[in-house]
Amino acid sequence: MAGNRAVAYQGPGRVEVRDIDYPSFTLQDGPGVNPANVGRELPHAAILKVVTTNICGSDQHMVRGRTTAPEGLVLGHEITGEVVETGPGVEFIKEGDLVSVPFNIACGRCRNCKEGATGICLNVNPDRPGSAYGYVDMGGWVGGQAEYVLVPYADWNLLKFPDKDRAMEKILDLTMLSDIFPTGFHGAVSAGTGVGSTVYVAGAGPVGLAAAASAQLLGAAVVIVGDLQEERLQQARSFGCETVDVSKGDPKDQIEQILGVPEVDCGVDAVGFEARGHGAGAAQEAPATVLNSLMDLTRAGGGIGIPGLYVTGDPGGVDEAAKEGSLSLRLGLGWAKSHYFITGQCPVMKYHRGLMQAILHDRVQIAKAVNATVVSLDEAPEAYAEFDSGVARKYVIDPHGLVA
């Protein structure tokens, strides 16, 4: 049997590469595993040799110590891999298939899955609807920043690429299908983006850049991206976005300079609960800032998509309310303007096949938009530190040296 190594959370600010067990078709106990899931038999699962696995901003929240993640938790929910073994209940996925893994773990059998809401599957997390690999309070499924990983309900969850050689040529684009491309797309779609829309995306991290590229793909007339980091704003401009530096003041005023009016049709929150203030308050964490700002600058009747992460437990919250995910929102303003809001995990399966086709047929270059940067598994701790500094990169881990 092959060995296995993975990236594990070791406490605030620390990750390390360590030896872990090779996957088996029984869910084992370990850091973060829900006791009700221990011993769960998985004949419907597949074991993958990981080809690429990405570092996500959601991982960074845990590594900063801003969640209740336990030490030793194996990280990684953005996974692309080659099937090396299947359980006796797997019928259609075969050994040798190159596949994308949605970060949502879904059974395909419950009411929510059957209705397409795979981000809130009822059968994979004993604590609450919804699950993901290598993530706090998500049932304890082992993360994929590893050499090998197990994927349950393989026939349902896995997206097989139709041509392995062609897929490997575009692997840096296709690796984004596990999370950030569908998540950014979901944010743009949820906000109502269409042909001719004006769109403001708060946050120029990888999800924000993916949302901006998605808005362009959907036909937006103007896409404006706001952030505090000039390097990230430069990355947004590199593929045709307008930008605003929110450290210089209210984005609404800067949007008026671009559009001639101080509002947009659609707003996307790609920042989440670690938001900071605008202008003179940019140095201070203010978790409701982005949501309140979006209500202010989105036109009456417009939509706000919220792919940015909000949590129910934040030990580092700025006050007692924020520590349990309670924020001071101007909901009255949103009500008065008849806004609608869509939040929660992106249901990746709703989008990933279509986005795969857009990549394979050269309709979008998502890896270029997010500045995909390949590192080895051993370089992952350094990549985490660099990502935390605000660099404009999307780190792609290549555990087996398979990426050209």
Side-chain angles (χ1 to χ4, degrees), residues 187-202 215 218 220-224 255 259 263-269 294 297-305 339-340:
V189 168
S190 298
T193 305
V195 175
S197 298
T198 56
V199 183
Y200 175 67
V201 179
L218 289 163
V222 183
V223 180
I224 305 169
I255 287 169
L259 298 178
E263 64 180 17
V264 293
D265 298 319
C266 314
V268 179
D269 174 4
L294 286 171
L297 59 82
T298 301
R299 69 172 179 85
I304 299 173
H339 286 152
Y340 63 87

Short mmCIF file of all heavy atoms in Angstrom, two decimals, residues 187-202 215 218 220-224 255 259 263-269 294 297-305 339-340:
data_model
loop_
_atom_site.label_atom_id
_atom_site.label_comp_id
_atom_site.label_asym_id
_atom_site.label_seq_id
_atom_site.Cartn_x
_atom_site.Cartn_y
_atom_site.Cartn_z
N GLY A 187 -21.79 33.56 -7.24
CA GLY A 187 -21.97 34.90 -6.72
C GLY A 187 -22.48 35.86 -7.77
O GLY A 187 -23.39 36.66 -7.52
N ALA A 188 -21.93 35.78 -8.98
CA ALA A 188 -22.36 36.65 -10.06
C ALA A 188 -23.78 36.33 -10.52
O ALA A 188 -24.61 37.22 -10.75
CB ALA A 188 -21.38 36.55 -11.23
N VAL A 189 -24.08 35.03 -10.65
CA VAL A 189 -25.43 34.62 -11.05
C VAL A 189 -26.44 35.01 -9.98
O VAL A 189 -27.52 35.55 -10.29
CB VAL A 189 -25.47 33.10 -11.30
CG1 VAL A 189 -26.91 32.60 -11.44
CG2 VAL A 189 -24.68 32.74 -12.54
N SER A 190 -26.12 34.76 -8.72
CA SER A 190 -27.03 35.08 -7.62
C SER A 190 -27.37 36.56 -7.57
O SER A 190 -28.48 36.94 -7.19
CB SER A 190 -26.41 34.65 -6.29
OG SER A 190 -26.19 33.26 -6.25
N ALA A 191 -26.41 37.39 -7.93
CA ALA A 191 -26.63 38.83 -7.92
C ALA A 191 -27.45 39.31 -9.12
O ALA A 191 -27.81 40.48 -9.18
CB ALA A 191 -25.29 39.56 -7.88
N GLY A 192 -27.72 38.41 -10.06
CA GLY A 192 -28.53 38.76 -11.22
C GLY A 192 -27.75 39.27 -12.41
O GLY A 192 -28.32 39.91 -13.30
N THR A 193 -26.47 38.99 -12.48
CA THR A 193 -25.65 39.47 -13.59
C THR A 193 -26.14 38.92 -14.92
O THR A 193 -26.43 37.73 -15.06
CB THR A 193 -24.19 39.04 -13.39
OG1 THR A 193 -23.73 39.50 -12.12
CG2 THR A 193 -23.30 39.61 -14.50
N GLY A 194 -26.24 39.79 -15.90
CA GLY A 194 -26.62 39.40 -17.25
C GLY A 194 -26.02 40.34 -18.27
O GLY A 194 -25.17 41.19 -17.93
N VAL A 195 -26.43 40.21 -19.50
CA VAL A 195 -25.90 41.05 -20.57
C VAL A 195 -26.18 42.52 -20.26
O VAL A 195 -27.32 42.90 -19.99
CB VAL A 195 -26.52 40.65 -21.92
CG1 VAL A 195 -26.07 41.61 -23.02
CG2 VAL A 195 -26.12 39.22 -22.28
N GLY A 196 -25.13 43.32 -20.26
CA GLY A 196 -25.28 44.75 -20.04
C GLY A 196 -25.26 45.18 -18.59
O GLY A 196 -25.34 46.38 -18.30
N SER A 197 -25.12 44.26 -17.64
CA SER A 197 -25.14 44.61 -16.22
C SER A 197 -23.90 45.39 -15.82
O SER A 197 -22.81 45.23 -16.39
CB SER A 197 -25.19 43.35 -15.35
OG SER A 197 -26.36 42.61 -15.57
N THR A 198 -24.08 46.24 -14.82
CA THR A 198 -22.93 46.81 -14.11
C THR A 198 -22.81 46.07 -12.78
O THR A 198 -23.79 45.89 -12.06
CB THR A 198 -23.10 48.31 -13.87
OG1 THR A 198 -24.32 48.56 -13.16
CG2 THR A 198 -23.14 49.06 -15.20
N VAL A 199 -21.60 45.63 -12.47
CA VAL A 199 -21.38 44.72 -11.35
C VAL A 199 -20.24 45.24 -10.48
O VAL A 199 -19.18 45.62 -11.00
CB VAL A 199 -21.03 43.30 -11.85
CG1 VAL A 199 -20.88 42.35 -10.67
CG2 VAL A 199 -22.08 42.80 -12.83
N TYR A 200 -20.48 45.24 -9.17
CA TYR A 200 -19.40 45.55 -8.24
C TYR A 200 -19.08 44.31 -7.43
O TYR A 200 -19.97 43.71 -6.81
CB TYR A 200 -19.79 46.68 -7.29
CG TYR A 200 -18.75 46.95 -6.22
CD1 TYR A 200 -17.50 47.46 -6.56
CD2 TYR A 200 -19.01 46.68 -4.88
CE1 TYR A 200 -16.53 47.69 -5.59
CE2 TYR A 200 -18.05 46.91 -3.90
CZ TYR A 200 -16.81 47.43 -4.26
OH TYR A 200 -15.85 47.65 -3.30
N VAL A 201 -17.81 43.89 -7.46
CA VAL A 201 -17.34 42.75 -6.69
C VAL A 201 -16.45 43.26 -5.56
O VAL A 201 -15.41 43.88 -5.82
CB VAL A 201 -16.53 41.76 -7.57
CG1 VAL A 201 -16.03 40.59 -6.72
CG2 VAL A 201 -17.38 41.26 -8.73
N ALA A 202 -16.87 43.04 -4.33
CA ALA A 202 -16.07 43.42 -3.18
C ALA A 202 -15.09 42.31 -2.87
O ALA A 202 -15.48 41.19 -2.55
CB ALA A 202 -16.97 43.68 -1.98
N ALA A 215 -18.62 37.32 -14.20
CA ALA A 215 -19.52 38.39 -14.63
C ALA A 215 -19.25 38.77 -16.09
O ALA A 215 -20.18 39.02 -16.86
CB ALA A 215 -19.35 39.60 -13.71
N LEU A 218 -20.75 36.20 -18.27
CA LEU A 218 -22.21 36.32 -18.31
C LEU A 218 -22.68 37.53 -19.11
O LEU A 218 -23.89 37.73 -19.27
CB LEU A 218 -22.75 36.41 -16.88
CG LEU A 218 -22.68 35.11 -16.07
CD1 LEU A 218 -22.83 35.39 -14.58
CD2 LEU A 218 -23.75 34.13 -16.54
N ALA A 220 -21.63 40.98 -18.60
CA ALA A 220 -21.68 42.28 -17.93
C ALA A 220 -21.02 43.36 -18.78
O ALA A 220 -20.03 43.12 -19.47
CB ALA A 220 -20.98 42.20 -16.58
N ALA A 221 -21.60 44.57 -18.73
CA ALA A 221 -21.03 45.69 -19.47
C ALA A 221 -19.80 46.24 -18.77
O ALA A 221 -18.79 46.57 -19.41
CB ALA A 221 -22.08 46.79 -19.63
N VAL A 222 -19.87 46.37 -17.46
CA VAL A 222 -18.75 46.88 -16.66
C VAL A 222 -18.66 46.05 -15.39
O VAL A 222 -19.67 45.81 -14.71
CB VAL A 222 -18.94 48.36 -16.28
CG1 VAL A 222 -17.72 48.87 -15.50
CG2 VAL A 222 -19.19 49.22 -17.50
N VAL A 223 -17.44 45.61 -15.07
CA VAL A 223 -17.18 44.90 -13.82
C VAL A 223 -16.17 45.72 -13.03
O VAL A 223 -15.07 46.00 -13.52
CB VAL A 223 -16.64 43.48 -14.07
CG1 VAL A 223 -16.38 42.77 -12.74
CG2 VAL A 223 -17.59 42.67 -14.93
N ILE A 224 -16.55 46.09 -11.81
CA ILE A 224 -15.71 46.89 -10.93
C ILE A 224 -15.33 46.03 -9.73
O ILE A 224 -16.19 45.40 -9.12
CB ILE A 224 -16.44 48.15 -10.46
CG1 ILE A 224 -16.94 48.97 -11.66
CG2 ILE A 224 -15.52 49.00 -9.58
CD1 ILE A 224 -17.89 50.09 -11.27
N ILE A 255 -17.18 54.54 -7.57
CA ILE A 255 -18.03 53.94 -8.61
C ILE A 255 -18.69 55.04 -9.43
O ILE A 255 -18.81 54.92 -10.67
CB ILE A 255 -19.07 53.01 -7.96
CG1 ILE A 255 -18.38 51.73 -7.48
CG2 ILE A 255 -20.21 52.69 -8.93
CD1 ILE A 255 -19.25 50.85 -6.60
N LEU A 259 -18.82 55.15 -13.47
CA LEU A 259 -20.08 54.92 -14.19
C LEU A 259 -20.90 56.18 -14.44
O LEU A 259 -21.81 56.17 -15.28
CB LEU A 259 -20.95 53.91 -13.42
CG LEU A 259 -20.38 52.51 -13.22
CD1 LEU A 259 -21.35 51.67 -12.38
CD2 LEU A 259 -20.13 51.84 -14.57
N GLU A 263 -24.15 53.87 -8.29
CA GLU A 263 -24.77 52.58 -8.00
C GLU A 263 -24.51 51.60 -9.13
O GLU A 263 -24.17 51.99 -10.25
CB GLU A 263 -26.27 52.74 -7.79
CG GLU A 263 -27.02 53.22 -9.02
CD GLU A 263 -28.52 53.36 -8.78
OE1 GLU A 263 -28.94 53.40 -7.60
OE2 GLU A 263 -29.28 53.43 -9.77
N VAL A 264 -24.67 50.34 -8.80
CA VAL A 264 -24.52 49.26 -9.78
C VAL A 264 -25.79 48.41 -9.78
O VAL A 264 -26.61 48.49 -8.86
CB VAL A 264 -23.30 48.36 -9.46
CG1 VAL A 264 -22.00 49.13 -9.64
CG2 VAL A 264 -23.41 47.76 -8.06
N ASP A 265 -25.91 47.59 -10.80
CA ASP A 265 -27.07 46.69 -10.88
C ASP A 265 -26.94 45.51 -9.93
O ASP A 265 -27.94 45.01 -9.42
CB ASP A 265 -27.21 46.15 -12.31
CG ASP A 265 -27.46 47.23 -13.34
OD1 ASP A 265 -28.24 48.16 -13.04
OD2 ASP A 265 -26.87 47.15 -14.43
N CYS A 266 -25.70 45.03 -9.74
CA CYS A 266 -25.47 43.77 -9.04
C CYS A 266 -24.27 43.91 -8.11
O CYS A 266 -23.25 44.48 -8.51
CB CYS A 266 -25.17 42.63 -10.03
SG CYS A 266 -26.28 42.56 -11.46
N GLY A 267 -24.39 43.35 -6.91
CA GLY A 267 -23.27 43.39 -5.97
C GLY A 267 -22.89 41.99 -5.53
O GLY A 267 -23.74 41.12 -5.34
N VAL A 268 -21.58 41.76 -5.36
CA VAL A 268 -21.06 40.46 -4.94
C VAL A 268 -20.12 40.67 -3.75
O VAL A 268 -19.16 41.44 -3.84
CB VAL A 268 -20.31 39.74 -6.08
CG1 VAL A 268 -19.77 38.40 -5.60
CG2 VAL A 268 -21.20 39.56 -7.30
N ASP A 269 -20.39 39.96 -2.65
CA ASP A 269 -19.51 39.98 -1.48
C ASP A 269 -18.60 38.78 -1.54
O ASP A 269 -18.99 37.65 -1.26
CB ASP A 269 -20.35 39.94 -0.20
CG ASP A 269 -19.51 39.81 1.07
OD1 ASP A 269 -18.27 39.83 0.97
OD2 ASP A 269 -20.11 39.69 2.16
N LEU A 294 -22.61 47.15 0.22
CA LEU A 294 -23.30 46.63 -0.97
C LEU A 294 -24.76 47.06 -0.99
O LEU A 294 -25.32 47.36 -2.06
CB LEU A 294 -23.18 45.11 -1.02
CG LEU A 294 -21.81 44.58 -1.42
CD1 LEU A 294 -21.75 43.06 -1.23
CD2 LEU A 294 -21.47 44.93 -2.87
N LEU A 297 -24.78 50.68 -2.27
CA LEU A 297 -24.41 51.01 -3.65
C LEU A 297 -25.11 50.17 -4.71
O LEU A 297 -24.91 50.40 -5.91
CB LEU A 297 -22.89 50.95 -3.82
CG LEU A 297 -22.15 49.64 -3.52
CD1 LEU A 297 -22.21 48.66 -4.66
CD2 LEU A 297 -20.71 49.94 -3.15
N THR A 298 -25.90 49.19 -4.31
CA THR A 298 -26.66 48.40 -5.28
C THR A 298 -28.01 49.05 -5.51
O THR A 298 -28.69 49.46 -4.56
CB THR A 298 -26.84 46.95 -4.79
OG1 THR A 298 -25.56 46.36 -4.59
CG2 THR A 298 -27.62 46.13 -5.81
N ARG A 299 -28.42 49.16 -6.76
CA ARG A 299 -29.66 49.87 -7.10
C ARG A 299 -30.87 49.22 -6.44
O ARG A 299 -30.86 48.04 -6.08
CB ARG A 299 -29.86 49.87 -8.62
CG ARG A 299 -30.20 48.51 -9.20
CD ARG A 299 -30.58 48.59 -10.67
NE ARG A 299 -30.89 47.28 -11.22
CZ ARG A 299 -32.09 46.69 -11.14
NH1 ARG A 299 -33.09 47.31 -10.54
NH2 ARG A 299 -32.29 45.49 -11.66
N ALA A 300 -31.92 50.00 -6.29
CA ALA A 300 -33.18 49.46 -5.76
C ALA A 300 -33.67 48.34 -6.68
O ALA A 300 -33.69 48.49 -7.90
CB ALA A 300 -34.23 50.57 -5.67
N GLY A 301 -34.03 47.23 -6.06
CA GLY A 301 -34.48 46.07 -6.84
C GLY A 301 -33.36 45.16 -7.27
O GLY A 301 -33.61 44.13 -7.89
N GLY A 302 -32.12 45.53 -6.96
CA GLY A 302 -30.97 44.73 -7.38
C GLY A 302 -30.71 43.57 -6.44
O GLY A 302 -31.30 43.45 -5.36
N GLY A 303 -29.78 42.70 -6.86
CA GLY A 303 -29.45 41.52 -6.09
C GLY A 303 -28.05 41.58 -5.52
O GLY A 303 -27.16 42.25 -6.08
N ILE A 304 -27.84 40.87 -4.42
CA ILE A 304 -26.53 40.78 -3.78
C ILE A 304 -26.21 39.31 -3.57
O ILE A 304 -26.91 38.61 -2.84
CB ILE A 304 -26.51 41.54 -2.44
CG1 ILE A 304 -26.81 43.03 -2.67
CG2 ILE A 304 -25.16 41.37 -1.75
CD1 ILE A 304 -26.97 43.84 -1.39
N GLY A 305 -25.18 38.84 -4.26
CA GLY A 305 -24.69 37.48 -4.08
C GLY A 305 -23.60 37.47 -3.03
O GLY A 305 -22.73 38.35 -3.03
N HIS A 339 -33.96 44.77 -2.00
CA HIS A 339 -32.85 43.91 -2.40
C HIS A 339 -33.19 42.45 -2.11
O HIS A 339 -33.99 42.14 -1.23
CB HIS A 339 -31.58 44.27 -1.60
CG HIS A 339 -30.94 45.53 -2.03
ND1 HIS A 339 -30.18 46.31 -1.19
CD2 HIS A 339 -30.93 46.16 -3.23
CE1 HIS A 339 -29.72 47.37 -1.85
NE2 HIS A 339 -30.17 47.29 -3.09
N TYR A 340 -32.56 41.58 -2.87
CA TYR A 340 -32.59 40.17 -2.49
C TYR A 340 -31.16 39.70 -2.28
O TYR A 340 -30.23 40.21 -2.88
CB TYR A 340 -33.32 39.31 -3.54
CG TYR A 340 -32.68 39.26 -4.90
CD1 TYR A 340 -31.69 38.33 -5.20
CD2 TYR A 340 -33.06 40.14 -5.91
CE1 TYR A 340 -31.10 38.26 -6.45
CE2 TYR A 340 -32.48 40.09 -7.17
CZ TYR A 340 -31.50 39.15 -7.43
OH TYR A 340 -30.91 39.11 -8.67
#
